[in-house]
Amino acid sequence: MVFGSRSMKILTFGQTGQLARALKRTQPNTVELIQLSHQQVDITQPQRIDEALAYYRPNIIINCAAYTNVEKAEINPESAIKTNALAVEYIAKAASAYGIKLIQLSTDYVFDGGSSTPYLVTQKPAAINTYGQSKLLAEATLLSYQSDLFCIVRTSWLYHHTGNNFLTTMLKLMSQTHNQAAIGSSKENPINIVNDQTGSPTMVDDLTRFLWKLCLQKQWSAIYHWSDAGICTWYEFAQAIKTQAIGLGLLRQPIYLQPITSEQYASIVNRPVFSALDSGLSHTIATQNPWQQQLSLCLNELKHSKECLFVAKN
Ligand SMILES: NC(=O)c1ccc[n+]([C@@H]2O[C@H](COP(=O)([O-])OP(=O)(O)OC[C@H]3O[C@@H](n4cnc5c(N)ncnc54)[C@H](OP(=O)(O)O)[C@@H]3O)[C@@H](O)[C@H]2O)c1
């Protein structure tokens, strides 16, 4: 990607998370990327934010720091709100004072799931769990500034072949099925996957492709949606992982998957049954690829990566 001759200084809060690591992996040559870990700057401490911005003076902040454990957010709502909402207010205040642009990541979980077609940026959000509510509070704060320095990027179901996410969880489970006691190894002991929640998987490196292009835009809209194209349930996503990984020789049969309902999946979190995002308005910035194609790209990368632990041995 051409970033022009002038180098752009981009700062991320959060360094170790899935998105921050993807930004590092995909960093264009002409971008100076400063990534501050939780240890370096705890975003719940406004003074630390202020010091970091005064020192680094980036052109753009991409806030990758968040409280993302949806289950724990129900138990510790104060912590979730502190990191996902109050801290974003601190970042916005400091960014505004220094004239720094800010991209805030948000989520499909700001919606209640009542729609049957992908959510448009113009649709009114109404979160049904603490994590979603905390992210929605951050959105409201940023929108209240009515500042063209700020924008919100909602995304969904992030995954990669590294880190902790649905893909790596599934690959770990599915790679153990040669052990006859392991779940997934028989019809009687399948891997249970929820089949009544629909959304759009997003390969995190494709989100960064969008974000880097967004950084180059002279003017921003207030809200963007970005996910890979197409929709599926978690069960359908798992089925595709299984089929593609077996095809690539990363996994071997038998692997038994069982579709279940959200009710059967013991969770304290109320999750939207439908949370696919309509990314149509983002097409002026980047084109979307089908989620199945992105999954294939990701699994092929895994197959050829040094860290690949999953290649099936016959
Ligand atoms: N993952 C998804 O499926 C998904 C879906 C939709 C939207 N999003 C949004 O996308 C963004 C990136 O998500 P992600 O998957 O990359 O999250 P992640 O992997 O959980 O990473 C979150 C990062 O935030 C850091 N962090 C947490 N509290 C902090 C604090 N008080 N100060 C500074 N850093 C702090 C964590 O550091 P430590 O680990 O060191 O605490 C970690 O590096 C988030 O805004 C998330 O809400 C994610």
Side-chain angles (χ1 to χ4, degrees):
M1 189 182 304
V2 180
F3 255 74
S5 48
R6 263 191 49 207
S7 120
M8 194 182 270
K9 203 193 263 191
I10 295 186
L11 180 145
T12 72
F13 290 116
Q15 182 191 41
T16 56
Q18 195 170 198
L19 176 60
R21 282 183 292 112
L23 285 166
K24 182 75 190 161
R25 242 187 339 263
T26 58
Q27 174 187 358
N29 287 339
T30 50
V31 165
E32 184 187 345
L33 182 63
I34 299 143
Q35 298 203 288
L36 300 174
S37 68
H38 192 163
Q39 246 182 348
Q40 287 169 302
V41 176
D42 179 340
I43 60 165
T44 64
Q45 295 180 16
Q47 203 190 324
R48 301 289 293 128
I49 294 169
D50 203 76
E51 284 164 4
L53 296 190
Y55 182 75
Y56 290 108
R57 298 288 178 132
N59 302 100
I60 302 175
I61 300 163
I62 303 178
N63 182 25
C64 300
Y67 190 107
T68 55
N69 190 317
V70 181
E71 302 268 337
K72 279 193 186 159
E74 293 302 322
I75 303 160
N76 297 311
E78 298 82 10
S79 301
I81 286 167
K82 215 169 151 188
T83 307
N84 290 346
L86 288 180
V88 175
E89 199 173 331
Y90 304 149
I91 295 172
K93 200 170 166 195
S96 192
Y98 291 108
I100 298 168
K101 295 172 90 176
L102 167 65
I103 299 175
Q104 167 65 18
L105 272 298
S106 193
T107 168
D108 53 332
Y109 279 15
V110 296
F111 292 110
D112 63 7
S115 181
S116 54
T117 52
Y119 282 97
L120 299 162
V121 291
T122 47
Q123 262 170 282
K124 195 172 157 43
I128 56 170
N129 59 45
T130 305
Y131 167 74
Q133 282 154 359
S134 66
K135 299 293 288 184
L136 192 49
L137 279 171
E139 289 192 6
T141 298
L142 293 186
L143 294 173
S144 73
Y145 275 79
Q146 296 188 323
S147 168
D148 51 12
L149 290 178
F150 301 162
C151 76
I152 293 158
V153 177
R154 295 183 186 134
T155 188
S156 61
W157 297 24
L158 292 182
Y159 72 90
H160 189 251
H161 61 72
T162 58
N164 293 320
N165 55 70
F166 187 76
L167 174 65
T168 53
T169 302
M170 284 301 120
L171 289 174
K172 270 178 210 144
L173 284 174
M174 291 180 192
S175 63
Q176 285 159 13
T177 55
H178 57 275
N179 171 357
Q180 284 174 4
I183 63 161
S185 60
S186 70
K187 263 187 196 154
E188 294 69 39
N189 190 16
I191 302 170
N192 293 323
I193 324 264
V194 169
N195 196 30
D196 58 5
Q197 289 169 27
T198 297
S200 300
T202 308
M203 212 264 268
V204 68
D205 288 6
D206 211 48
L207 170 62
T208 65
R209 182 173 62 88
F210 173 74
L211 292 175
W212 291 127
K213 287 189 171 178
L214 185 60
C215 288
L216 290 174
Q217 300 293 308
K218 287 217 165 64
Q219 280 194 318
W220 287 342
S221 301
I223 304 175
Y224 294 94
H225 284 176
W226 185 263
S227 64
D228 288 335
I231 63 172
C232 62
T233 66
W234 289 111
Y235 173 74
E236 288 163 346
F237 188 22
Q239 278 286 7
I241 293 169
K242 172 184 150 179
T243 309
Q244 291 197 17
I246 289 172
L248 286 167
L250 291 166
L251 295 173
R252 64 182 163 177
Q253 297 273 28
I255 298 166
Y256 292 94
L257 306 183
Q258 174 70 39
I260 60 165
T261 62
S262 302
E263 221 175 297
Q264 288 170 299
Y265 177 76
S267 170
I268 52 168
V269 184
N270 208 2
R271 289 177 168 85
V273 294
F274 185 94
S275 63
L277 301 171
D278 183 321
S279 304
L281 286 178
S282 302
H283 289 175
T284 51
I285 298 173
T287 48
Q288 283 176 289
N289 296 308
W291 68 264
Q292 296 92 334
Q293 189 182 313
Q294 292 302 111
L295 175 62
S296 165
L297 200 76
C298 190
L299 289 173
N300 267 292
E301 267 178 31
L302 170 64
K303 185 174 173 168
H304 296 108
S305 75
K306 286 189 201 124
E307 306 96 67
C308 183
L309 301 171
F310 300 110
V311 177
K313 292 182 185 72
N314 292 311

Coordinates of all heavy atoms in Angstrom, one line a residue, residues 172-223:
K172 N -7.5 -26.3 17.9 CA -7.0 -27.1 19.0 C -7.9 -28.3 19.3 O -7.4 -29.4 19.5 CB -6.8 -26.2 20.2 CG -5.4 -25.5 20.3 CD -5.3 -24.6 21.4 CE -4.4 -23.5 21.1 NZ -4.7 -22.2 21.6
L173 N -9.2 -28.0 19.4 CA -10.1 -29.1 19.8 C -10.1 -30.1 18.7 O -10.1 -31.3 19.0 CB -11.6 -28.5 19.9 CG -11.9 -27.7 21.2 CD1 -13.3 -27.1 21.1 CD2 -11.8 -28.7 22.4
M174 N -10.2 -29.7 17.4 CA -10.3 -30.7 16.3 C -9.0 -31.5 16.1 O -9.1 -32.6 15.6 CB -10.7 -29.9 15.0 CG -12.1 -29.3 15.0 SD -12.4 -28.4 13.5 CE -13.9 -27.5 13.8
S175 N -7.9 -30.9 16.5 CA -6.6 -31.6 16.3 C -6.4 -32.7 17.4 O -5.5 -33.5 17.3 CB -5.5 -30.7 16.3 OG -5.4 -30.1 17.6
Q176 N -7.3 -32.7 18.4 CA -7.1 -33.7 19.5 C -8.0 -34.9 19.3 O -8.0 -35.9 20.1 CB -7.5 -33.1 20.8 CG -6.4 -32.2 21.3 CD -6.9 -31.2 22.3 OE1 -8.0 -31.3 22.9 NE2 -6.1 -30.1 22.6
T177 N -8.8 -34.9 18.2 CA -9.8 -36.0 18.1 C -9.3 -37.4 17.8 O -10.0 -38.4 17.8 CB -10.9 -35.6 17.0 OG1 -10.2 -35.3 15.8 CG2 -11.7 -34.4 17.4
H178 N -7.9 -37.5 17.4 CA -7.3 -38.8 17.3 C -7.3 -39.5 18.6 O -7.2 -40.7 18.7 CB -5.9 -38.7 16.7 CG -5.0 -37.8 17.5 ND1 -5.0 -36.4 17.4 CD2 -4.2 -38.1 18.5 CE1 -4.1 -36.0 18.3 NE2 -3.7 -37.0 19.0
N179 N -7.3 -38.7 19.7 CA -7.5 -39.3 21.1 C -8.9 -39.7 21.3 O -9.8 -38.8 21.3 CB -7.0 -38.3 22.1 CG -7.2 -38.7 23.5 OD1 -7.8 -39.8 23.8 ND2 -6.8 -37.9 24.4
Q180 N -9.2 -41.0 21.4 CA -10.6 -41.4 21.5 C -11.4 -40.9 22.6 O -12.6 -40.9 22.6 CB -10.7 -42.9 21.4 CG -10.4 -43.4 20.0 CD -10.3 -44.9 19.8 OE1 -10.5 -45.6 20.8 NE2 -9.9 -45.4 18.6
A181 N -10.7 -40.4 23.7 CA -11.4 -39.8 24.8 C -11.7 -38.3 24.6 O -12.5 -37.7 25.4 CB -10.6 -40.0 26.1
A182 N -11.1 -37.7 23.6 CA -11.2 -36.3 23.4 C -12.6 -35.9 22.8 O -13.2 -36.7 22.1 CB -10.1 -35.8 22.5
I183 N -13.1 -34.7 23.2 CA -14.4 -34.3 22.6 C -14.2 -34.1 21.1 O -13.1 -33.7 20.6 CB -15.0 -33.1 23.2 CG1 -14.1 -31.8 23.0 CG2 -15.4 -33.3 24.7 CD1 -14.9 -30.6 23.2
G184 N -15.2 -34.5 20.3 CA -15.1 -34.4 18.9 C -14.7 -35.7 18.2 O -14.7 -35.8 17.0
S185 N -14.3 -36.7 19.0 CA -13.8 -37.9 18.4 C -14.8 -38.9 18.1 O -14.6 -39.9 17.4 CB -12.7 -38.5 19.4 OG -13.4 -38.8 20.6
S186 N -16.1 -38.7 18.6 CA -17.1 -39.7 18.3 C -18.5 -39.0 18.3 O -18.6 -37.8 18.8 CB -17.2 -40.8 19.3 OG -17.6 -40.2 20.6
K187 N -19.5 -39.7 17.7 CA -20.8 -39.1 17.6 C -21.4 -38.9 19.0 O -22.2 -37.9 19.2 CB -21.7 -40.1 16.9 CG -21.9 -39.8 15.4 CD -22.9 -40.7 14.8 CE -22.8 -40.6 13.3 NZ -23.2 -41.8 12.6
E188 N -21.0 -39.7 19.9 CA -21.5 -39.6 21.3 C -20.8 -38.5 22.1 O -21.3 -38.0 23.1 CB -21.2 -41.0 22.0 CG -22.0 -42.2 21.5 CD -21.5 -42.7 20.1 OE1 -20.2 -42.6 19.9 OE2 -22.3 -43.0 19.3
N189 N -19.7 -38.1 21.6 CA -18.9 -37.0 22.3 C -18.5 -36.0 21.3 O -17.3 -35.8 21.1 CB -17.7 -37.7 23.0 CG -17.0 -36.8 23.9 OD1 -17.5 -35.8 24.3 ND2 -15.7 -37.1 24.2
P190 N -19.4 -35.2 20.7 CA -19.1 -34.3 19.7 C -18.6 -32.9 20.3 O -18.8 -32.7 21.4 CB -20.4 -34.1 18.9 CG -21.4 -34.3 20.0 CD -20.9 -35.2 21.0
I191 N -18.1 -32.1 19.4 CA -17.8 -30.7 19.7 C -19.1 -29.9 19.5 O -19.6 -29.9 18.4 CB -16.7 -30.1 18.9 CG1 -15.4 -30.9 19.0 CG2 -16.5 -28.6 19.2 CD1 -14.3 -30.5 18.0
N192 N -19.7 -29.4 20.6 CA -21.0 -28.7 20.4 C -20.8 -27.2 20.0 O -20.0 -26.5 20.7 CB -21.7 -28.7 21.8 CG -22.2 -30.1 22.2 OD1 -22.5 -30.9 21.3 ND2 -22.1 -30.4 23.4
I193 N -21.5 -26.8 19.0 CA -21.3 -25.4 18.5 C -22.6 -24.8 18.3 O -23.5 -25.4 17.7 CB -20.5 -25.4 17.1 CG1 -19.5 -26.4 17.0 CG2 -20.0 -24.0 16.9 CD1 -18.1 -26.1 17.4
V194 N -22.7 -23.6 18.8 CA -24.0 -22.8 18.7 C -24.4 -22.5 17.2 O -23.6 -22.1 16.4 CB -23.9 -21.5 19.5 CG1 -25.0 -20.6 19.2 CG2 -23.7 -21.8 21.0
N195 N -25.6 -22.9 16.9 CA -26.1 -22.7 15.5 C -27.2 -21.7 15.4 O -27.9 -21.7 14.3 CB -26.5 -24.1 15.0 CG -26.6 -24.2 13.5 OD1 -25.9 -23.4 12.8 ND2 -27.5 -25.0 13.0
D196 N -27.5 -21.0 16.5 CA -28.6 -20.0 16.3 C -28.1 -18.5 16.6 O -28.9 -17.7 16.9 CB -29.8 -20.3 17.2 CG -29.4 -20.4 18.7 OD1 -28.2 -20.1 19.0 OD2 -30.2 -20.8 19.5
Q197 N -26.8 -18.3 16.4 CA -26.3 -17.0 16.4 C -25.6 -16.8 15.0 O -24.7 -17.5 14.7 CB -25.3 -16.8 17.5 CG -25.9 -16.7 18.9 CD -24.8 -16.8 20.0 OE1 -23.6 -16.4 19.8 NE2 -25.2 -17.4 21.1
T198 N -26.0 -15.7 14.3 CA -25.5 -15.5 13.0 C -24.7 -14.2 12.9 O -25.2 -13.2 13.5 CB -26.7 -15.4 12.0 OG1 -27.4 -16.7 12.0 CG2 -26.3 -15.1 10.6
G199 N -23.6 -14.2 12.3 CA -22.8 -13.0 12.1 C -21.8 -13.1 11.0 O -22.0 -14.0 10.1
S200 N -20.8 -12.3 11.0 CA -19.8 -12.3 9.9 C -18.4 -12.5 10.5 O -17.9 -11.6 11.1 CB -19.9 -11.0 9.1 OG -21.1 -10.9 8.5
P201 N -17.7 -13.6 10.2 CA -16.4 -13.8 10.6 C -15.5 -12.7 9.9 O -15.8 -12.4 8.7 CB -16.0 -15.2 10.1 CG -17.3 -15.9 9.8 CD -18.2 -14.8 9.4
T202 N -14.5 -12.3 10.6 CA -13.5 -11.3 10.0 C -12.1 -11.7 10.2 O -11.7 -11.7 11.4 CB -13.8 -9.9 10.6 OG1 -15.2 -9.6 10.4 CG2 -13.0 -8.8 9.8
M203 N -11.4 -12.0 9.2 CA -10.0 -12.3 9.4 C -9.3 -11.0 9.8 O -9.4 -10.0 9.1 CB -9.4 -12.8 8.1 CG -8.3 -13.8 8.3 SD -6.7 -13.1 8.2 CE -6.3 -13.4 6.5
V204 N -8.6 -11.0 10.9 CA -8.1 -9.7 11.4 C -7.2 -8.9 10.5 O -7.2 -7.7 10.5 CB -7.5 -9.9 12.9 CG1 -6.2 -10.7 12.8 CG2 -7.4 -8.6 13.6
D205 N -6.4 -9.7 9.7 CA -5.5 -9.0 8.7 C -6.3 -8.2 7.6 O -5.8 -7.3 7.0 CB -4.5 -10.0 8.1 CG -3.5 -10.4 9.0 OD1 -3.6 -10.1 10.2 OD2 -2.6 -11.2 8.6
D206 N -7.5 -8.7 7.4 CA -8.3 -8.0 6.4 C -9.0 -6.7 7.1 O -9.2 -5.7 6.4 CB -9.4 -8.9 5.9 CG -9.8 -8.5 4.5 OD1 -8.8 -8.3 3.7 OD2 -11.0 -8.3 4.2
L207 N -9.2 -6.8 8.4 CA -9.6 -5.5 9.1 C -8.5 -4.5 9.0 O -8.7 -3.3 8.8 CB -10.0 -5.9 10.5 CG -10.2 -4.7 11.4 CD1 -11.4 -3.8 11.0 CD2 -10.5 -5.1 12.9
T208 N -7.2 -5.0 9.2 CA -6.1 -4.0 9.2 C -6.0 -3.4 7.8 O -5.6 -2.2 7.6 CB -4.8 -4.6 9.7 OG1 -4.4 -5.6 8.8 CG2 -4.9 -5.1 11.1
R209 N -6.2 -4.2 6.7 CA -6.2 -3.7 5.4 C -7.1 -2.5 5.2 O -6.8 -1.5 4.7 CB -6.6 -4.8 4.4 CG -6.5 -4.4 2.9 CD -6.7 -5.6 2.0 NE -8.0 -6.2 2.2 CZ -9.1 -5.8 1.5 NH1 -9.1 -4.9 0.6 NH2 -10.3 -6.4 1.7
F210 N -8.3 -2.7 5.8 CA -9.3 -1.6 5.8 C -8.8 -0.4 6.7 O -8.8 0.8 6.2 CB -10.7 -2.0 6.3 CG -11.7 -0.9 6.5 CD1 -12.3 -0.4 5.4 CD2 -12.0 -0.4 7.8 CE1 -13.2 0.7 5.5 CE2 -12.9 0.6 7.9 CZ -13.5 1.2 6.8
L211 N -8.3 -0.7 7.8 CA -7.8 0.4 8.7 C -6.7 1.2 8.1 O -6.7 2.4 8.2 CB -7.4 -0.2 10.1 CG -8.5 -0.8 10.9 CD1 -8.0 -1.4 12.2 CD2 -9.6 0.3 11.3
W212 N -5.7 0.5 7.5 CA -4.6 1.3 6.9 C -5.2 2.2 5.8 O -4.7 3.4 5.6 CB -3.6 0.3 6.3 CG -2.8 -0.4 7.3 CD1 -2.6 -1.8 7.4 CD2 -2.1 0.1 8.4 NE1 -1.8 -2.1 8.5 CE2 -1.5 -1.0 9.1 CE3 -1.9 1.4 8.9 CZ2 -0.7 -0.8 10.3 CZ3 -1.1 1.6 10.1 CH2 -0.5 0.5 10.7
K213 N -6.1 1.7 5.0 CA -6.7 2.6 4.0 C -7.5 3.8 4.6 O -7.4 4.9 4.1 CB -7.6 1.8 3.0 CG -6.8 0.9 2.1 CD -7.7 0.2 1.1 CE -6.8 -0.5 0.1 NZ -7.5 -1.1 -1.0
L214 N -8.1 3.4 5.7 CA -8.9 4.5 6.4 C -8.0 5.6 6.9 O -8.3 6.8 6.8 CB -9.7 3.8 7.6 CG -10.6 4.7 8.4 CD1 -11.7 5.2 7.5 CD2 -11.2 3.9 9.5
C215 N -6.8 5.2 7.3 CA -5.8 6.2 7.8 C -5.5 7.2 6.7 O -5.1 8.4 7.0 CB -4.5 5.5 8.3 SG -4.7 4.6 9.8
L216 N -5.6 6.8 5.4 CA -5.2 7.7 4.3 C -6.3 8.6 3.9 O -6.1 9.5 3.1 CB -4.8 6.8 3.1 CG -3.5 6.0 3.2 CD1 -3.3 5.1 2.0 CD2 -2.3 7.0 3.3
Q217 N -7.5 8.3 4.4 CA -8.7 9.2 4.0 C -8.5 10.6 4.6 O -8.2 10.7 5.7 CB -10.0 8.6 4.4 CG -10.3 7.2 3.9 CD -10.5 7.2 2.4 OE1 -11.4 7.9 1.9 NE2 -9.8 6.3 1.7
K218 N -8.8 11.6 3.7 CA -8.7 13.0 4.2 C -9.9 13.2 5.2 O -9.7 13.9 6.2 CB -8.8 13.9 3.1 CG -7.5 13.9 2.3 CD -7.1 15.3 1.8 CE -5.7 15.4 1.3 NZ -5.4 14.6 0.1
Q219 N -11.1 12.7 4.8 CA -12.3 12.9 5.7 C -12.9 11.6 6.1 O -12.9 10.7 5.2 CB -13.3 13.8 4.9 CG -12.9 15.2 4.9 CD -14.0 16.1 4.4 OE1 -14.7 15.7 3.5 NE2 -14.2 17.2 5.1
W220 N -13.4 11.6 7.3 CA -14.0 10.4 7.8 C -15.5 10.5 8.0 O -15.9 11.6 8.3 CB -13.4 10.0 9.1 CG -12.0 9.4 9.1 CD1 -11.3 8.9 8.0 CD2 -11.1 9.3 10.2 NE1 -10.1 8.5 8.4 CE2 -9.9 8.7 9.7 CE3 -11.1 9.7 11.5 CZ2 -8.8 8.5 10.5 CZ3 -10.1 9.4 12.4 CH2 -8.9 8.8 11.9
S221 N -16.2 9.4 7.8 CA -17.6 9.4 8.3 C -17.5 9.1 9.8 O -16.5 8.7 10.3 CB -18.4 8.3 7.7 OG -18.4 8.4 6.3
A222 N -18.6 9.3 10.5 CA -18.6 9.1 12.0 C -18.5 7.6 12.3 O -17.8 7.2 13.3 CB -19.9 9.6 12.6
I223 N -19.2 6.7 11.5 CA -19.2 5.3 11.8 C -19.0 4.5 10.6 O -19.5 4.8 9.5 CB -20.6 4.9 12.4 CG1 -20.9 5.7 13.7 CG2 -20.6 3.4 12.8 CD1 -22.3 5.4 14.2

